[in-house]
Amino acid sequence: MDLGSIEERDMAAEATAEGGGGSGKGVMVVGIDDSDHSYYALQWTLQHFFGPGQPQQYHLVVLTAKPPASSVIGIAGVGSAELLPTVEVDLKRTSARVIEKAKQLCTQVIDVSYEVFEGDARSVICEAVDRHHAEMLVVGCHGYGAWKRAVLGSVSDYCTHHAHCTVMIVKRPKHKKSEHVS
């Protein structure tokens, strides 16, 4: 696990310390990115497990992965070194936006923490499951076809095979592509 900055390390340490460990609650990890599919999965999770008046039986860990800038740029070429700082700033902004949106969605959750880790989303999510001894992992599904999944890889497919807990994959209904769970 490669943490990109002191702020990310501090945020992760704080989240792990809060981690519901002393509360006797199980831990549920929700992996999100900046996509409607993952926000839908978070909203679905909140509605079904953390609704108003429901006892909150889990400590919720909302997690996003920030890819390393070098992996976004790809094959190094002339001028790529100059792009790294710009790409890094943009990736940090995106991660902050994802966490801010998650915080807005999770206002009714009493026991929640937020984490940003640098690395490949598949590895980051599975490492978080192990670190928190999570009972459940929730991820969204982008709905890629077999060809796209084979070429791009699927975070949800990877997690179902490598996460050491129950994995719930939340798919958006086809008729609700532009709607959100309320």
Side-chain angles (χ1 to χ4, degrees):
M1 166 181 18
D2 178 29
L3 296 176
S5 70
I6 294 171
E7 297 88 30
E8 289 168 342
R9 282 188 285 259
D10 291 346
M11 183 186 293
E14 180 182 314
T16 302
E18 292 172 3
S23 68
K25 292 181 186 178
V27 175
M28 178 185 293
V29 174
V30 179
I32 63 172
D33 61 15
D34 195 22
S35 73
D36 288 341
H37 300 282
S38 66
Y39 293 131
Y40 177 84
L42 177 58
Q43 289 172 314
W44 187 93
T45 301
L46 296 172
Q47 181 181 26
H48 288 86
F49 290 94
F50 298 93
Q54 293 180 2
Q56 294 186 9
Q57 55 189 336
Y58 292 102
H59 167 72
L60 179 63
V61 177
V62 180
L63 169 75
T64 191
K66 182 182 80 59
S70 58
S71 73
V72 172
I73 292 175
I75 300 171
V78 177
S80 64
E82 290 81 29
L83 287 175
L84 280 174
T86 304
V87 171
E88 181 64 30
V89 167
D90 188 50
L91 291 170
K92 284 183 179 183
R93 271 192 212 123
T94 300
S95 297
R97 183 175 58 242
V98 169
I99 294 299
E100 188 56 39
K101 179 149 186 179
K103 287 179 179 181
Q104 291 170 2
L105 294 171
C106 293
T107 56
Q108 80 273 14
V109 181
I110 297 165
D111 192 7
V112 61
S113 57
Y114 305 90
E115 295 182 359
V116 176
F117 279 93
E118 185 174 79
D120 177 71
R122 295 171 280 219
S123 300
V124 166
I125 291 170
C126 289
E127 288 169 1
V129 164
D130 290 343
R131 185 175 56 257
H132 289 287
H133 308 288
E135 292 179 10
M136 187 179 301
L137 168 64
V138 180
V139 291
C141 178
H142 287 271
Y144 295 145
W147 176 248
K148 263 194 176 174
R149 273 197 320 273
V151 172
L152 298 174
S154 167
V155 172
S156 58
D157 284 347
Y158 183 90
C159 290
T160 59
H161 291 95
H162 295 89
H164 301 286
C165 68
T166 300
V167 178
M168 185 176 303
I169 301 170
V170 178
K171 296 173 88 175
R172 289 176 67 186
K174 289 188 188 268
H175 64 280
K176 289 191 173 187
K177 287 210 181 223
S178 63
E179 297 177 26
H180 293 284
V181 175
S182 40

